[in-house]
Amino acid sequence: MNTVVPAVEKTPVPGLDIINEYRRIAIAVGDDAPLSNSKTAISLLRYRGEHCLAVIDPAHQGKTTQDLYGVGGSTPVVGSLSEVDSPDALFIGISPPGGQMPESLSRVIAAGVDGGLDIVSGLHEFLVENEDFCQAAQRSGSRLIDVRRNQHRQTARCAEFRSGCLRIHAVGQDCSVGKMVTMLELERGLQQRQRDAKFLATGQTGIMIKGNGVPVDCVVSDFVNGSVEEMVLQHEQHEILLIEGQGSIVHPAFSAVTLGLLHGCAPQGLILCYEAARPHVKAMPHVPLKSLERYRELYEQLASERSPAEVIGVAMNGRNLTEAEADIEKQQVQQRLGLPVCDVYRDGADLLVDAVLNLRGRLFA
């Protein structure tokens, strides 16, 4: 995978695992980025918070990230890169629709490149295709790392995976309902129980957290299934693989990626993720969401065309509910579907950990 433009020609090009080496990260979001676009920044603060020095957002300088996002504690929000103490990399912390780069963000990136910082971006608009950034990087020694840029060119071959490898995949009613967070919390919970579990990222934010994965929404469509299948094969030595989900199987824009993931990773277990009280597809008020029962039916049927699969638990995102409302919602969904339901933000992932281990016991007893 050629994701990095070296500062000097003939310098070896590192892989995405270099992302794990950064320990003093500045996060840039532009000027007053909407919270709905800032999930990368929020997730970096949640899962790499010990490495994050500050968020750069002039519109909210003087606050903490806890004030702004509800996560990150006393990590400051500052007005410029010059206010961050000795960062070793600048991470782009937004995921705007279409992946385009705001002008205010471009200015921060230019300052980082001029200062010799490595820049890590998950945008669809690649740093390495910006001539000004590339020329400045040649002068300063900055490395431009586009985590979505890839060279996946292998079609799926319906490979046989190792029989003892349990594959769990997050699926959803829509975008931005918590599929990545659910799987990261599942990984944490399983590892706390001394199980060999590994999260496999399929989106830019997960890759920026873990330093590996496949950016499936930027893989040529013919190769989505194959890129995911190959990723699973590379990690099938683990006891449990937790494959991040993307989009929704009936999403008007992103269903192709969702189906490619289902057939590429051939999961035995599915975690159905949804946001309580969401009335319609994100940013599409004219497209109503379907019932959880319908999503369950579709995911099980379509996944099982490749390999038998079942929904084993439900991850509820209750951010728009009070605690009392969330408790009622969980009870109702559990009664309707006959499945364990939890909100990993509020409750942790123990119920889903139990469901994964129960499935493993049934399949590999």
Side-chain angles (χ1 to χ4, degrees):
M1 181 181 296
N2 183 15
T3 58
V4 181
V5 166
V8 180
E9 289 184 2
K10 299 183 181 179
T11 299
V13 179
L16 288 174
D17 55 355
I18 190 176
I19 293 172
N20 287 328
E21 298 178 8
Y22 300 118
R23 292 294 182 270
R24 298 185 61 79
I25 297 169
I27 303 172
V29 299
D31 195 348
D32 197 19
L35 285 180
S36 60
N37 292 350
S38 303
K39 65 179 184 178
T40 299
I42 293 168
S43 295
L44 285 167
L45 290 162
R46 183 184 299 275
Y47 294 107
R48 294 191 66 175
E50 71 275 19
H51 302 153
C52 297
L53 299 178
V55 169
I56 304 167
D57 179 355
H60 296 102
Q61 60 183 310
K63 295 184 177 180
T64 67
T65 60
Q66 193 72 37
D67 298 330
L68 187 57
Y69 302 127
V71 67
S74 61
T75 304
V77 180
V78 299
S80 68
L81 182 58
S82 63
E83 298 174 61
V84 185
D85 182 21
S86 303
D88 57 13
L90 179 69
F91 280 44
I92 307 309
I94 58 169
S95 302
Q100 300 302 304
M101 185 183 301
E103 178 58 32
S104 60
L105 184 59
S106 181
R107 292 193 293 270
V108 179
I109 293 171
V113 175
D114 286 342
L117 283 181
D118 290 354
I119 314 295
V120 180
S121 172
L123 299 178
H124 280 294
E125 185 175 341
F126 294 149
L127 301 170
V128 299
E129 294 177 356
N130 183 302
E131 185 175 350
D132 291 338
F133 291 161
C134 289
Q135 290 179 353
Q138 289 285 339
R139 294 191 298 267
S140 70
S142 171
R143 288 180 288 195
L144 307 179
I145 304 173
D146 290 300
V147 301
R148 269 188 165 125
R149 189 168 180 256
N150 68 87
Q151 296 297 324
H152 292 292
R153 294 295 184 272
Q154 180 171 317
T155 56
R157 47 193 170 87
C158 204
E160 291 289 335
F161 298 124
R162 185 177 70 83
S163 61
C165 175
L166 180 64
R167 299 174 302 282
I168 305 296
H169 180 39
V171 295
Q173 77 175 159
D174 197 5
C175 302
S176 302
V177 293
K179 294 183 285 290
M180 181 195 72
V181 169
T182 295
M183 298 310 263
L184 285 168
E185 292 297 324
L186 252 182
E187 180 188 50
R188 178 181 291 172
L190 285 162
Q191 289 176 351
Q192 287 173 348
R193 298 200 199 181
Q194 309 306 309
R195 308 311 289 253
D196 176 21
K198 182 172 179 59
F199 169 86
L200 298 183
T202 63
Q204 75 281 359
T205 302
I207 293 171
M208 291 163 79
I209 291 168
K210 290 291 187 177
N212 61 71
V214 173
V216 292
D217 68 353
C218 209
V219 175
V220 174
S221 58
D222 270 1
F223 308 122
V224 169
N225 302 37
S227 67
V228 175
E229 184 179 83
E230 182 60 28
M231 177 174 64
V232 171
L233 287 168
Q234 289 172 357
H235 297 284
E236 65 177 354
Q237 74 275 16
H238 294 280
E239 179 187 11
I240 303 168
L241 294 180
L242 304 166
I243 301 102
E244 179 187 7
Q246 299 294 329
S248 163
I249 198 62
V250 292
H251 196 290
F254 308 125
S255 56
V257 170
T258 308
L259 183 60
L261 270 165
L262 271 180
H263 288 171
C265 70
Q268 299 105 322
L270 302 168
I271 305 294
L272 178 59
C273 306
Y274 83 105
E275 182 180 353
R278 181 180 289 196
H280 53 72
V281 171
K282 182 181 179 183
M284 295 185 181
H286 58 294
V287 182
L289 292 165
K290 301 182 184 300
S291 70
L292 294 179
E293 289 86 348
R294 180 58 174 157
Y295 287 112
R296 178 186 189 177
E297 177 186 24
L298 285 169
Y299 280 118
E300 289 184 341
Q301 180 179 355
L302 290 169
S304 295
E305 289 298 318
R306 161 79 195 270
S307 182
E310 61 181 288
V311 175
I312 61 170
V314 179
M316 182 192 80
N317 183 332
R319 63 182 173 180
N320 292 319
L321 303 182
T322 65
E323 189 167 348
E325 290 170 338
D327 287 340
I328 294 171
E329 173 78 10
K330 284 181 288 187
Q331 292 172 10
Q332 292 176 341
V333 172
Q334 183 171 333
Q335 290 172 358
R336 283 166 50 194
L337 300 183
L339 293 169
V341 182
C342 72
D343 183 336
V344 298
Y345 293 91
R346 279 191 170 110
D347 312 325
D350 282 347
L351 285 177
L352 298 180
V353 171
D354 290 340
V356 170
L357 295 177
N358 287 338
L359 178 64
R360 180 167 182 81
R362 286 195 280 121
L363 295 180
F364 305 122

